[in-house]
Amino acid sequence: MHPLPPPVAISRRRLLAGAGGALILSALLPARLARAEAQGPAEGAGALAPKPGSRVAAFLEIHPDGTIKLLSPFVEGGQGIATGMAQIVGEELDVPPSRFVVECAPPGPDYAVVNGIRMTGGSFSTRSSYETMRRLGATARDLMIRAAAAKLKVQDSDLTTRDGVVLHAATNRSLTYGGLAADALKLKPNESVPLRDPATFRYIRQPVPRIDVRDKSTGRAIYAIDQKVEGMLYAAVQHAPRLGTDPMTLANEAEVKAMPGVHSVHRLPGAVAVAADSWWRARKAVEALTVEWSAGKPSGIDTVAADFSSEGMLAALKTSAEPGHVAEAEGDVAAAFAKAAKVVEADYEAPYLAHGQLEPPSAIARFDSDSTLDVWLPNQMPEVFQAVSAKVAGLQPAQVRIHSPMLGGFFGRHFTYDAGNPFPQAILLAKATGRPVKVLWSREEEFARDAVRPLSFSRFRAALDRAGQPTALEVRTVGEGPIGRYFSMMMQTPVDPSAVEGIVEKPYAVPNRRMTFTKVAHPVNIAFWRSVGHSMNDAFYESFLDEIAQAGGQDPFALRMALLQGSARHRTLLSAVAELSGGWQRGPYRTDDGMRARGIAMASPFGSETATIAEVSVEGGEARVHNLWIAFDPGSIVNPAIVKAQVESAAALGLSSVLFEQIVYRDGVRQSRNYDTYPILRREHMPKVHVRIVESGAPMGGVGEPGLPGVPPAVLNAIAALTGQRIRALPVANAKLSAA
């Protein structure tokens, strides 16, 4: 366990002034529309945020000993953002990334670099801050040069820099950044310093080693579950079987209070908790409680009723008669269907999914003597958690300090999600006990309360002409997305973008299109999930495109090429993935290990483009994926090694979701409470993943999520090619397969 510092009352001004000889640089940059345009198209919450404000700030500390600390606007959670930020800033500052210490900055408006908000998610961190971080490094370097020029009594133009040192070649004199920091701090930053010519980059676009590898490999990396504060209690919880119900009576409260190490027993909204001197004792005690819970509604889908089920929810989506709102419209769809030589129809559905992260949720809350609150918790939006924590505690946001440790994975898990996180429980328990409290959810409680990817349903219709080419496409999507649930006040349309992404704005030249969205709210706690709506919608769309190809007697690869005549970028990507795989062949074809087939799919998520080919066989009635070939075009990159790793990890999660994962509700209760009842991709199921990065020069796109959406449809299309079975209801594990 890693102890945390005792409470200290300190203002922002005192924090900045008390850095000794450190240079703490705030980059004050004018708002420019060009910056937003350079970031490329935003999705998710980033797409709904206002344009960046007049100030986009990040902080650098350059200490006399040469240590350089970057207070990053983003949370590191395995995606490599700390290394990427060090590369970008270090490039312009002229300091190797290995010299940086990167920490997550505290809450504050200075760090709202994602179109005016602060968020680590939506594959938006690097592309939203690339110019800002470059300018930050360049501004700091300029201050060092100007401070050195004054000290050496020479012109700025006579000086150069190298690896954190200012050099005067004519006299062979040099000064370190650390030695110049105090003088540089007194200078006014220039607002328009020149940036380095990309042709001279040394760190950006290079596979720079991750700066957090050593700490992770030696056990020094500190996650939320590693943290503790002096005098804290440990708390474990038992949640109500059904969301929305509360504890009524505790039949054996006195007996539980008498158990070893128990400090107190508590009723919470939707849960009971025990605080003790160790978490194990707290868990054993809370599990021993005999609780009578309030009764929920007997029926319906407006709450998690006693008869609520996934099957019933899906039926409600399918039978909804609401006309919906137009999400995309082009041409005359009705006329195209009236003239169609053939009409193809299909329904697609995807289940609720858990995040299934390995790091159990935890949080520490401590009320301090100055009436402020410290909260340590995994999160992706520190300011939002600050506001929610303040509301729970009855304080003002300025009275709450949020500490953001390294995350044990993202996947969309670390947003507030109402009852889906333990930090409100920690705050309530700290207030009730008068002690710091650490709440840690058991694996079973995490599966019980994790916010889930929404169950979804889409109905497709296509009109084909006599040549087998699609002339019209109509899609009706019914359900709810997390943007509408959590950011509805920022939406300017009744169409939830997170519910239809991956279905609208596809690059294929189908002349007549109509896509609609009908909202049917889920009673369960829904969530963002890696690649959000793309995670299922691209599977639906790209699978149906193969159905169109089959109905029209077309090869699916050739059909895509034909529909992309107007997009050189997409055709280049398709050609690249075909070449990477050794040449497109659908199959079935025989190998030394039996019959196999391939499926192709494309996706355009988060400002990037992907083309994916999957190779599958069928063994014992189950699909076995042997190879995934992924051509990935994010426009431009910072670290190719991180890009490749992110594509590979996203592919693994996409494969896990299409083959195995599902959360099932029955009688209002989730049936999965641990990994034994929530199967995920195992090691023996992991195929070879081949990645080719194709830099088109388009605006920089996202990296963390785009590798996922192309994998499910590529697998589904390969299964259909091999078996003749078209799977339209996920996951594949629910179907019994047989090779054709």
Side-chain angles (χ1 to χ4, degrees):
M1 302 293 285
H2 299 272
L4 298 169
V8 177
I10 186 168
S11 68
R12 175 69 63 87
R13 181 180 297 276
R14 181 181 166 195
L15 172 66
L16 300 184
L23 164 66
I24 301 184
L25 172 70
S26 174
L28 302 180
L29 303 174
R32 293 198 301 271
L33 181 61
R35 183 189 307 121
E37 291 174 345
Q39 294 173 5
E43 295 190 29
L48 302 172
K51 297 296 182 184
S54 60
R55 168 167 146 141
V56 177
F59 296 96
L60 274 176
E61 297 181 10
I62 303 175
H63 295 269
D65 64 358
T67 301
I68 298 176
K69 179 185 290 185
L70 170 64
L71 296 181
S72 172
F74 307 108
V75 182
E76 175 63 59
Q79 83 280 37
I81 192 62
T83 303
M85 292 293 103
Q87 285 181 256
I88 298 168
V89 176
E91 186 69 74
E92 298 290 350
L93 184 58
D94 202 355
V95 174
S98 59
R99 292 258 305 275
F100 280 76
V101 174
V102 181
E103 295 181 358
C104 183
D110 293 339
Y111 307 105
V113 298
V114 181
N115 280 357
I117 64 174
R118 184 182 184 189
M119 174 183 68
T120 308
S123 295
F124 211 60
S125 299
T126 300
R127 56 179 168 144
S128 68
S129 62
Y130 181 70
E131 181 186 347
T132 299
M133 292 297 142
R134 284 188 66 190
R135 193 163 297 281
L136 172 69
T139 303
R141 177 178 177 271
D142 177 71
L143 288 174
M144 295 299 163
I145 289 175
R146 289 161 53 200
K151 183 167 287 190
L152 298 175
K153 295 181 172 55
V154 298
Q155 297 296 313
D156 297 359
S157 58
D158 295 332
L159 300 174
T160 58
T161 61
R162 185 178 67 238
D163 295 347
V165 176
V166 181
L167 305 170
H168 186 245
T171 60
N172 201 30
R173 289 181 292 172
S174 64
L175 295 169
T176 66
Y177 285 3
L180 292 166
D183 290 335
L185 180 62
K186 302 172 185 176
L187 302 176
K188 181 180 179 180
N190 286 331
E191 293 187 359
S192 58
V193 293
L195 301 181
R196 182 181 290 275
D197 183 349
T200 67
F201 282 170
R202 298 145 302 158
Y203 309 127
I204 294 176
R205 302 189 74 252
Q206 298 301 313
V208 171
R210 293 276 294 266
I211 63 176
D212 54 1
V213 166
R214 180 177 294 275
D215 283 353
K216 287 182 176 179
S217 60
T218 58
R220 290 185 292 183
I222 300 175
Y223 298 89
I225 58 174
D226 300 317
Q227 296 178 315
K228 66 178 182 180
V229 298
E230 184 177 353
M232 77 178 189
L233 294 167
Y234 296 84
V237 299
Q238 178 190 157
H239 287 109
R242 295 184 184 88
L243 186 67
T245 58
D246 293 303
M248 301 295 288
T249 60
L250 307 179
N252 59 341
E253 183 173 359
E255 297 172 21
V256 170
K257 283 183 176 179
M259 293 177 67
V262 169
H263 175 274
S264 49
V265 176
H266 303 268
R267 293 169 175 81
L268 297 171
V272 292
V274 171
D277 60 6
S278 76
W279 185 76
W280 181 250
R281 285 177 164 177
R283 177 180 177 178
K284 298 303 290 184
V286 79
E287 290 177 348
L289 280 172
T290 301
V291 187
E292 179 186 350
W293 302 96
S294 63
K297 288 184 63 175
S299 188
I301 63 167
D302 57 330
T303 65
V304 182
D307 67 346
F308 177 76
S309 67
S310 304
E311 183 178 352
M313 189 67 207
L314 180 61
L317 301 187
K318 289 183 175 181
T319 58
S320 171
E322 294 294 325
H325 301 277
V326 176
E328 182 177 66
E330 184 71 31
D332 191 336
V333 172
F337 273 98
K339 295 186 297 183
K342 181 180 289 188
V343 173
V344 184
E345 298 179 317
D347 291 353
Y348 280 84
E349 61 194 63
Y352 292 117
L353 293 187
H355 291 95
Q357 61 175 36
L358 290 179
E359 179 189 19
S362 66
I364 299 174
R366 179 185 65 198
F367 287 91
D368 300 314
S369 58
D370 60 353
S371 300
T372 61
L373 170 66
D374 283 277
V375 185
W376 290 263
L377 77 165
N379 72 87
Q380 293 179 240
M381 297 184 78
E383 286 75 12
V384 171
F385 279 79
Q386 181 186 45
V388 175
S389 296
K391 185 176 181 180
V392 173
L395 301 173
Q396 295 299 312
Q399 296 174 281
V400 179
R401 288 177 292 271
I402 295 294
H403 307 268
S404 305
M406 184 182 300
L407 303 182
F410 275 92
F411 321 125
R413 176 63 182 91
H414 299 294
F415 292 102
T416 52
Y417 295 141
D418 302 325
N421 275 313
F423 73 97
Q425 297 171 342
I427 294 169
L428 293 174
L429 292 172
K431 179 178 284 190
T433 62
R435 299 264 299 272
V437 174
K438 178 176 185 175
V439 175
L440 175 66
W441 284 2
S442 68
R443 184 71 66 196
E444 289 76 14
E445 298 306 323
E446 157 68 347
F447 269 96
R449 280 297 180 270
D450 180 19
V452 292
R453 188 191 77 173
L455 179 150
S456 58
F457 169 76
S458 288
R459 176 163 290 150
F460 288 75
R461 296 177 69 231
L464 279 62
D465 62 19
R466 295 186 183 281
Q469 296 294 311
T471 59
L473 180 63
E474 188 173 48
V475 188
R476 171 179 164 84
T477 295
V478 185
E480 183 186 17
I483 288 287
R485 173 75 67 98
Y486 302 109
F487 294 93
S488 60
M489 73 296 295
M490 301 172 71
M491 290 172 52
Q492 299 178 1
T493 169
V495 176
D496 186 335
S498 60
V500 298
E501 59 190 5
I503 290 177
V504 300
E505 299 180 358
K506 299 290 280 189
Y508 303 114
V510 179
N512 304 288
R513 304 183 303 277
R514 178 180 170 85
M515 285 74 169
T516 63
F517 168 69
T518 299
K519 180 178 178 179
V520 175
H522 294 269
V524 303
N525 202 2
I526 63 171
F528 295 93
W529 199 87
R530 193 170 185 174
S531 77
V532 199
H534 286 283
S535 65
M536 61 276 192
N537 288 338
D538 280 296
F540 298 170
Y541 190 107
E542 293 287 315
S543 293
F544 188 66
L545 192 56
D546 262 37
E547 294 202 58
I548 292 173
Q550 182 178 356
Q554 307 287 320
D555 175 83
F557 185 92
L559 176 63
R560 285 171 172 82
M561 275 293 194
L563 295 175
L564 295 169
Q565 287 292 337
S567 177
R569 183 182 185 187
H570 292 93
R571 286 173 62 87
T572 296
L573 206 58
L574 268 179
S575 297
V577 77
E579 179 183 304
L580 182 64
S581 68
W584 167 250
Q585 53 177 331
R586 184 170 185 252
Y589 52 86
R590 186 170 297 280
T591 70
D592 292 340
D593 298 319
M595 298 300 293
R596 296 184 184 181
R598 296 183 181 184
I600 180 76
M602 300 197 75
S604 304
F606 303 94
S608 293
E609 301 290 340
T610 65
T612 304
I613 293 176
E615 182 183 54
V616 307
S617 67
V618 171
E619 301 175 11
E622 296 181 346
R624 176 73 60 169
V625 182
H626 300 276
N627 286 282
L628 290 171
W629 294 278
I630 303 173
F632 179 52
D633 176 9
S636 60
I637 62 174
V638 171
N639 187 317
I642 290 178
V643 171
K644 185 173 183 289
Q646 284 292 290
V647 173
E648 291 170 341
S649 70
L653 191 52
L655 189 60
S656 183
S657 69
V658 71
L659 292 182
F660 303 111
E661 296 187 38
Q662 61 181 329
I663 285 288
V664 174
Y665 281 86
R666 190 176 301 121
D667 298 327
V669 177
R670 291 187 192 177
Q671 301 303 296
S672 297
R673 295 300 297 269
N674 210 320
Y675 291 110
D676 58 337
T677 50
Y678 187 80
I680 62 173
L681 191 75
R682 299 194 301 271
R683 186 170 184 174
E684 62 267 24
H685 295 127
M686 188 66 195
K688 296 177 182 178
V689 181
H690 316 266
V691 178
R692 176 176 295 180
I693 300 170
V694 180
E695 291 188 82
S696 64
M700 184 181 289
V703 169
E705 295 167 283
L708 189 152
V711 172
V715 170
L716 295 175
N717 289 336
I719 291 172
L722 180 62
T723 67
Q725 296 173 251
R726 173 57 62 181
I727 296 175
R728 302 187 183 98
L730 301 179
V732 173
N734 290 342
K736 182 69 173 179
L737 302 177
S738 59

